[in-house]
Amino acid sequence: MNPAIETILNHRSVRNFKNDPIPESNINEIIRAAQSASTSSFLQAYSIIGVTSQEKKDRLAALAGGQTYVSENGYFFVFCADLSRHLTAASVHEQDISASVESTEGFMVAVIDAALAAQNAAIAAESMGLGICYIGGLRNNLEAVSSLLQTPDNVLPLFGMAVGWPDSYQEQKPRLPQTVIFHENEYNEIKHAQLRAYDQTIFNYYRSRANTKKEITWTSQVSSALAKSKRLYLNKFVPQKGFMK
Amino acid sequence: MNPAIETILNHRSVRNFKNDPIPESNINEIIRAAQSASTSSFLQAYSIIGVTSQEKKDRLAALAGGQTYVSENGYFFVFCADLSRHLTAASVHEQDISASVESTEGFMVAVIDAALAAQNAAIAAESMGLGICYIGGLRNNLEAVSSLLQTPDNVLPLFGMAVGWPDSYQEQKPRLPQTVIFHENEYNEIKHAQLRAYDQTIFNYYRSRANTKKEITWTSQVSSALAKSKRLYLNKFVPQKGFMK
């Protein structure tokens, strides 16, 4: 196994960071890594906001649900879907690109571009010995996040990423079996027996892990989480920001 | 610079593959790497389809726009957003998760999960000396792709990834300057001078590269591409497949 794959397979989210600063050269290398990712039709349809203001980090932590690791970390990134600069580019050439910018395709391209860049950043950071945690909680209130970070129309913050020197590690959570995630040539619908077996794996994992033990299965966890139907305001907010109008 | 970052920074899409097979152990390691990525609320809302049937690869190549590297490669993956197994999980617990599954948030989670997994797969493959190319062209005709791969409702193929031993490498394309992509604490709208400078960089790159020279700037390239407003059928097709209804 080579070092890159070792880094990838060793991933677990880190939610406890030491108070040590991250050298600027590391941050620059992480951003360079993000920019090296593939991008659809060379659009580079994303932006990265580095939040260094402690006041803004505290505010983001409150907005995201009060997690300490959003405010207490070595560095905090926000990854955004961004088709704003393409509108500027098109205005130079007097071309109308609004149908593309407002389409589902345009939104997918921007979200995928941002996510590919983010995952490169994650691997780069982890390869330096840093820990990371994605923060989807920013989507609890994107209106306030957008206003805090002053993102204009056609730019949508998607998620944050807390980075820092790990103070403690969680155990790795067992993923769905490869036979569930992976299909050869055609999609196979999941069988109840597969879900039951995985439920047992996850039940055992949560019951035996060192910290924050609980008794829960995967199916009960995900169905309870999704039954709450979080963030439905995004159905309207995303079009308001200029995507999928 | 550590080996993982070296792999990441060395990325360029590969579109010419040798006819050599990829050992199954490598493919398994690539899938394991994909599954190690972060996933929103542990949903693991994606599936990976490995296309090994040459007939299906040829058909996908035709659907994607006729690129030879979609049919001629060592391996071909299709990454899908997938909330289908969560509906099965919820049915076990008699919970109604349809509002979540049909929401913009649900779609974003599934697309981001799939993209993070895909980028882990890309880095893992490249760290083995393999080359990769993302194939957004599958989105030219997702109805035919879905039917070929027999994906049910609530599963949406997003993009392909051709993998293989590189037969030739392209030069790396210069990315937007870090000052354009990266913002500190608040978003800065792009200045025309920044776009003009980057246009010059890209013009020089295309004019001087070894293969397929052309004379084009970044702003003219992206505004022409987006003025065509590709794949508008997705505005309706994505809801038909159960997402963002």
Side-chain angles (χ1 to χ4, degrees):
Chain A
M1 194 180 299
N2 69 52
I5 293 181
E6 222 167 291
T7 295
I8 289 172
L9 296 184
N10 195 40
H11 166 75
R12 74 265 341 254
S13 295
V14 172
R15 295 183 173 85
N16 264 305
F17 300 107
K18 290 184 187 146
N19 210 1
D20 305 343
I22 304 174
E24 205 180 316
S25 59
N26 292 50
I27 298 299
N28 283 330
E29 202 156 68
I30 290 169
I31 300 166
R32 229 181 116 201
Q35 286 200 258
S36 297
S38 292
T39 157
S40 184
S41 303
F42 202 35
L43 292 182
Q44 309 174 70
Y46 65 95
S47 277
I48 307 171
I49 303 177
V51 185
T52 54
S53 148
Q54 190 57 49
E55 200 185 323
K56 291 202 179 194
K57 277 161 71 161
D58 293 346
R59 180 86 183 107
L60 289 175
L63 291 169
Q67 306 97 321
T68 52
Y69 44 93
V70 176
S71 56
E72 295 167 17
N73 50 53
Y75 205 88
F76 195 78
F77 290 108
V78 177
F79 288 84
C80 309
D82 190 341
L83 289 170
S84 142
R85 69 179 76 94
H86 306 85
L87 284 160
T88 308
S91 75
V92 172
H93 297 281
E94 292 177 356
Q95 284 190 297
D96 179 8
I97 64 168
S98 53
S100 285
V101 166
E102 295 169 2
S103 68
T104 298
E105 163 72 7
F107 184 61
M108 288 170 73
V109 161
V111 172
I112 294 167
D113 268 15
L116 301 185
Q119 189 55 16
N120 262 12
I123 301 299
E126 291 178 331
S127 76
M128 298 167 179
L130 291 159
I132 67 109
C133 187
Y134 279 93
I135 311 294
L138 294 193
R139 294 197 300 278
N140 287 346
N141 191 341
L142 279 193
E143 184 148 20
V145 170
S146 299
S147 138
L148 188 72
L149 305 177
Q150 300 193 34
T151 55
D153 284 350
N154 307 108
V155 177
L156 188 76
L158 299 172
F159 48 79
M161 186 188 290
V163 183
W165 303 107
D167 201 25
S168 65
Y169 277 105
Q170 283 186 305
E171 287 147 80
Q172 284 189 303
K173 274 195 271 195
R175 299 310 203 231
L176 280 162
Q178 188 170 309
T179 48
V180 170
I181 287 283
F182 180 75
H183 314 251
E184 194 171 339
N185 289 316
E186 60 190 56
Y187 190 92
N188 298 302
E189 303 219 22
I190 197 164
K191 293 176 188 64
H192 282 275
Q194 289 177 305
L195 278 181
R196 273 196 302 272
Y198 185 55
D199 268 353
Q200 193 59 55
T201 305
I202 292 302
F203 185 84
N204 295 343
Y205 160 76
Y206 280 129
R207 200 173 44 180
S208 64
R209 74 175 176 181
N211 301 312
T212 57
K213 287 190 208 313
K214 48 186 172 182
E215 299 213 338
I216 193 169
T217 63
W218 187 74
T219 59
S220 65
Q221 182 181 10
V222 302
S223 59
S224 302
L226 293 168
K228 279 178 209 142
S229 57
K230 281 194 298 188
R231 304 171 187 157
L232 295 186
Y233 80 98
L234 287 174
N235 297 354
K236 287 190 179 153
F237 182 74
V238 172
Q240 276 166 23
K241 292 300 280 184
F243 293 96
M244 296 198 300
K245 281 173 92 163
Chain B
M1 194 181 300
N2 69 50
I5 293 182
E6 221 167 290
T7 295
I8 289 172
L9 297 184
N10 195 39
H11 165 75
R12 73 264 341 255
S13 295
V14 172
R15 295 184 174 86
N16 264 304
F17 300 107
K18 290 184 188 147
N19 211 0
D20 305 343
I22 304 174
E24 207 181 314
S25 59
N26 293 49
I27 299 298
N28 283 332
E29 202 157 70
I30 290 169
I31 299 166
R32 230 180 115 201
Q35 286 200 255
S36 298
S38 291
T39 157
S40 185
S41 304
F42 203 36
L43 291 183
Q44 309 175 73
Y46 65 96
S47 277
I48 306 171
I49 303 177
V51 185
T52 54
S53 146
Q54 190 57 48
E55 201 184 324
K56 291 202 179 194
K57 278 160 71 160
D58 293 346
R59 180 85 183 109
L60 288 175
L63 290 169
Q67 305 97 321
T68 51
Y69 43 96
V70 176
S71 55
E72 295 168 18
N73 50 53
Y75 205 87
F76 195 78
F77 290 108
V78 177
F79 289 83
C80 308
D82 190 340
L83 289 170
S84 144
R85 68 179 76 94
H86 307 84
L87 285 160
T88 308
S91 74
V92 172
H93 297 280
E94 293 177 354
Q95 284 191 296
D96 179 9
I97 63 167
S98 54
S100 285
V101 167
E102 295 169 3
S103 69
T104 298
E105 164 71 7
F107 185 62
M108 287 170 73
V109 161
V111 172
I112 293 167
D113 267 16
L116 301 186
Q119 189 55 16
N120 261 12
I123 301 299
E126 290 178 331
S127 77
M128 298 167 179
L130 291 160
I132 68 107
C133 187
Y134 280 93
I135 310 293
L138 293 193
R139 293 196 302 277
N140 287 347
N141 191 341
L142 279 193
E143 183 148 22
V145 169
S146 299
S147 138
L148 188 72
L149 304 177
Q150 300 193 34
T151 55
D153 283 352
N154 306 109
V155 177
L156 188 76
L158 297 173
F159 48 78
M161 187 189 289
V163 183
W165 303 107
D167 201 24
S168 65
Y169 278 105
Q170 283 187 305
E171 288 147 80
Q172 282 188 304
K173 273 194 273 195
R175 299 311 203 227
L176 280 162
Q178 188 171 309
T179 49
V180 170
I181 287 283
F182 180 75
H183 314 252
E184 193 170 339
N185 289 315
E186 60 189 56
Y187 190 92
N188 297 303
E189 304 218 24
I190 196 164
K191 292 178 187 65
H192 281 274
Q194 289 177 305
L195 278 181
R196 272 196 301 274
Y198 185 55
D199 268 352
Q200 193 59 54
T201 305
I202 292 301
F203 186 84
N204 294 343
Y205 161 76
Y206 279 129
R207 198 173 46 178
S208 65
R209 74 175 176 182
N211 301 313
T212 57
K213 288 190 207 317
K214 48 187 172 182
E215 299 212 339
I216 193 169
T217 63
W218 187 74
T219 59
S220 65
Q221 182 181 10
V222 302
S223 58
S224 303
L226 293 168
K228 278 177 211 145
S229 56
K230 281 193 297 188
R231 304 171 188 158
L232 294 186
Y233 80 98
L234 287 173
N235 297 352
K236 287 192 178 152
F237 182 74
V238 171
Q240 276 166 21
K241 291 301 279 183
F243 293 96
M244 295 199 301
K245 281 172 93 162

